[in-house]
Amino acid sequence: MKNTLIIIPTYNELENIQLMLDAVLNQNENVHVLIVDDASPDGTSQVVRKNIALYPNRLFMEERPGKLGLGTAYIHGFKWALMRDYEYIFEMDADFSHDPNDLTSLYKVCANYGADLAIGSRYVKGVNVVNWPMSRVLLSYFASKYVRLITRMDIHDTTAGFVCYRASLLRKMDLDKIKFVGYAFQIEMKFKSHLLKAKIIELPVIFTDRSRGQSKMSGGIIQEAVTGVFMMKMKSLTGKLEI
């Protein structure tokens, strides 16, 4: 997993961050991690800062002045990674909903099978979600169905946040033109990858709901996804969508 960077956005992940850093960084000595912290008031950044000394030249942190949104955190991380010539760039949550043991498999999908975008998918083979209430499972599952219907992407888990990009794909995008900041950001990135004719491969993974800390999901995030996807598709049909 050489030239690999795992980007992990954080906001109030004190209960998870130490365990996550150890799980990722002890798994493979070639992996580097970038934490993008949005001024967590619970002390998340202080824990990361202490660990930077334990993992020299492998763990990095970018601190932002406030809670600016998931999408902008990843865009910040993508730009940071591209400036440093990382080849394989991951998105990953800090709360263990994404299993660190799946990192190698996602990497291989890009490195060995030529994918430009590898997606850790909850829905490519049935529904692989643990500890979510049925209402949230249905919301997530049918949201992906809705997005697939509107965009015509051949992707089962359009809102997945556990992914690996080749740097070459990210370089083709104007990252300053990414509009969404919540979970719709995940859809926008996949849709623009689709429009760029990227090779996209889904790998089945098991998604486990967080057992520590609080979810960042909100009604506004869902609203952005529902209305934003339709407008994004319309712009693509009229040639007004900037990639």
Side-chain angles (χ1 to χ4, degrees):
M1 295 183 68
K2 292 183 178 179
N3 298 323
T4 297
L5 181 72
I6 318 294
I7 302 171
I8 305 177
T10 54
Y11 182 78
N12 285 353
E13 292 292 353
L14 182 63
E15 296 173 85
N16 292 301
I17 192 62
Q18 184 66 61
L19 295 171
M20 177 55 70
L21 291 176
D22 290 339
V24 173
L25 289 166
N26 290 333
Q27 186 179 116
N28 189 307
E29 64 182 11
N30 291 316
V31 167
H32 293 183
V33 171
L34 172 67
I35 301 297
V36 182
D37 186 71
D38 277 3
S40 297
D42 70 344
T44 298
S45 61
Q46 288 91 319
V47 174
V48 176
R49 203 171 293 116
K50 291 177 181 177
N51 278 269
I52 289 174
L54 301 177
Y55 299 102
N57 301 315
R58 294 186 60 209
L59 174 60
F60 310 92
M61 180 168 61
E62 291 284 286
E63 297 182 73
R64 305 199 301 169
K67 193 175 181 182
L68 303 177
L70 181 75
T72 63
Y74 277 126
I75 295 299
H76 186 104
F78 291 159
K79 292 179 177 179
W80 190 95
L82 293 174
M83 287 178 60
R84 290 158 179 81
D85 293 324
Y86 286 97
E87 177 63 23
Y88 303 100
I89 302 167
F90 282 77
E91 297 179 13
M92 186 178 189
D93 290 347
D95 60 7
F96 284 92
S97 55
H98 304 146
D99 187 345
N101 292 319
D102 290 325
L103 288 168
T104 300
S105 297
L106 281 173
Y107 169 84
K108 288 179 178 177
V109 169
C110 287
N112 298 349
Y113 295 97
D116 299 302
L117 169 58
I119 300 173
S121 177
R122 297 163 290 186
Y123 307 128
V124 71
K125 288 187 177 180
V127 178
N128 294 320
V129 177
V130 177
N131 291 340
W132 262 8
M134 183 56 65
S135 59
R136 190 167 176 186
V137 172
L138 292 173
L139 175 64
S140 174
Y141 179 77
F142 285 108
S144 280
K145 289 287 188 183
Y146 164 78
V147 172
R148 194 177 184 190
L149 175 67
I150 296 296
T151 63
R152 301 299 181 182
M153 289 190 291
D154 187 20
I155 298 174
H156 293 83
D157 193 351
T158 55
T159 61
F162 191 22
V163 299
C164 177
Y165 289 95
R166 278 185 177 270
S168 56
L169 174 57
L170 293 177
R171 291 186 190 280
K172 292 178 182 177
M173 297 184 190
D174 185 344
L175 296 175
D176 292 325
K177 301 299 183 183
I178 301 297
K179 300 297 184 183
F180 297 132
V181 298
Y183 283 86
F185 161 82
Q186 305 293 1
I187 302 168
E188 183 177 4
M189 289 294 296
K190 293 176 184 67
F191 186 55
K192 291 186 174 180
S193 297
H194 165 75
L195 294 177
L196 288 167
K197 301 187 184 306
K199 183 176 181 179
I200 302 172
I201 298 177
E202 288 185 272
L203 179 76
V205 299
I206 295 176
F207 179 96
T208 304
D209 194 20
R210 66 163 65 234
S211 59
R212 296 174 296 272
Q214 293 184 339
S215 172
K216 313 304 187 297
M217 182 66 73
S218 70
I221 288 173
I222 296 169
Q223 180 67 26
E224 178 192 53
V226 171
T227 60
V229 167
F230 183 78
M231 295 303 299
M232 183 174 65
K233 176 63 175 180
M234 291 301 100
K235 286 183 178 180
S236 74
L237 294 174
T238 58
K240 295 181 180 179
L241 184 66
E242 297 176 295
I243 302 177

